[in-house]
Amino acid sequence: MLHSAAYQALGLTGWTYSRISCDADELPGLVAGLGSEWAGLSVTMPGKHAALTVATEVTERASLVGAGNTLVQLPDGGWRVDCTDVDGVVGALLFAGGYQTKPGAHALLLGAGGTALATMVALASVDVASFALVVRDPARAADASRCAERLGVQLDVYRWSDADFRDLVASSDVVVSTVPAGVADSHVSELAVAPCVVDVIYHPWPTPLAAAVQARGGRIGTGLDMLLHQAFGQVSQFTGLPAPREVMRDALFEATGGTVPLPLA
């Protein structure tokens, strides 16, 4: 609905956007078989890492994340891979979460999956210089550690079982939770007092973390904000035109029944 609404608003009546079922191993063959009529592809997991292998051009941020969600066909028939997930996180921080940038900021990041890596790159782009990463098993933080090295930021890893969340939050300018529903619920009271909070969960709404933030009068960014803002970049790259942000926001708001506010300013 996001893309279809955008193409209609831009007058691109011949454009379509639909799903293709394809796993990571099948992605190279799929891309190789696409004709010049294809402008690009949105890539979801598990294909985001494979997207880098099929591209002839890799943007800096896709290289930093180590994954891409956007493939754009180039005039010479090659493909450029980008990671507009970074835009999604920045949008959720600045527009929904009300994050105020400051040099040398510190972030608390929950989880170490693909969304966490895009979050690290996004936060580094708005002057966050150090991270506390909380994971169930430190071995799962290997990709995050490599991402931190590429970014040149400090990363300290903590186990869920022995992390002092009160101290971690007190020293953080922003908290981003990328963990599945329920994982962070026992720490909601500590997490909700952070100056800026983003929770990638948006269904069911409100999450316990969102409810706690709103109860104290705070603002929270969600996975829907991330979805919206990453789509702006995709539409612009596919079409070469500015994304119709308000039209896309309204389409997503309607599609989700208006349960989550989606501020653009």
Side-chain angles (χ1 to χ4, degrees), residues 23 66 88 109 117 120 128 152 227 240 250-251 263:
D23 65 24
L109 183 58
L117 302 188
M120 290 178 65
V128 171
L227 177 67
D250 292 346

Side-chain angles (χ1 to χ4, degrees), residues 211-230:
V213 170
Q214 292 172 331
R216 68 164 177 80
R219 295 165 58 180
I220 185 165
T222 74
L224 277 183
D225 296 296
M226 293 167 57
L227 177 67
L228 179 64
H229 284 270
Q230 66 81 29

Side-chain angles (χ1 to χ4, degrees), residues 104-260:
H106 179 72
L108 172 59
L109 183 58
L110 309 182
T115 302
L117 302 188
T119 297
M120 290 178 65
V121 175
L123 288 170
S125 76
V126 293
D127 296 331
V128 171
S130 59
F131 295 81
L133 180 71
V134 182
V135 292
R136 282 171 287 187
D137 179 3
R140 297 171 61 89
D143 286 343
S145 296
R146 286 189 286 267
C147 183
E149 290 177 7
R150 294 192 292 267
L151 289 167
V153 298
Q154 179 181 341
L155 179 69
D156 296 312
V157 180
Y158 301 85
R159 288 183 184 270
W160 278 94
S161 57
D162 54 23
D164 186 331
F165 281 88
R166 195 172 301 277
D167 285 349
L168 289 174
V169 172
S171 62
S172 299
D173 300 286
V174 56
V175 171
V176 182
S177 175
T178 70
V179 295
V183 172
D185 287 359
S186 61
H187 300 287
V188 160
S189 61
E190 299 106 304
L191 298 171
V193 301
C196 175
V197 181
V198 174
D199 185 354
V200 304
I201 304 294
Y202 56 83
H203 182 76
W205 181 263
T207 65
L209 180 55
V213 170
Q214 292 172 331
R216 68 164 177 80
R219 295 165 58 180
I220 185 165
T222 74
L224 277 183
D225 296 296
M226 293 167 57
L227 177 67
L228 179 64
H229 284 270
Q230 66 81 29
F232 294 155
Q234 287 192 335
V235 166
S236 295
Q237 292 190 46
F238 292 163
T239 67
L241 300 169
R245 295 162 62 93
E246 292 187 0
V247 169
M248 295 173 68
R249 186 271 312 277
D250 292 346
L252 183 59
F253 190 73
E254 180 180 352
T256 57
T259 55
V260 181

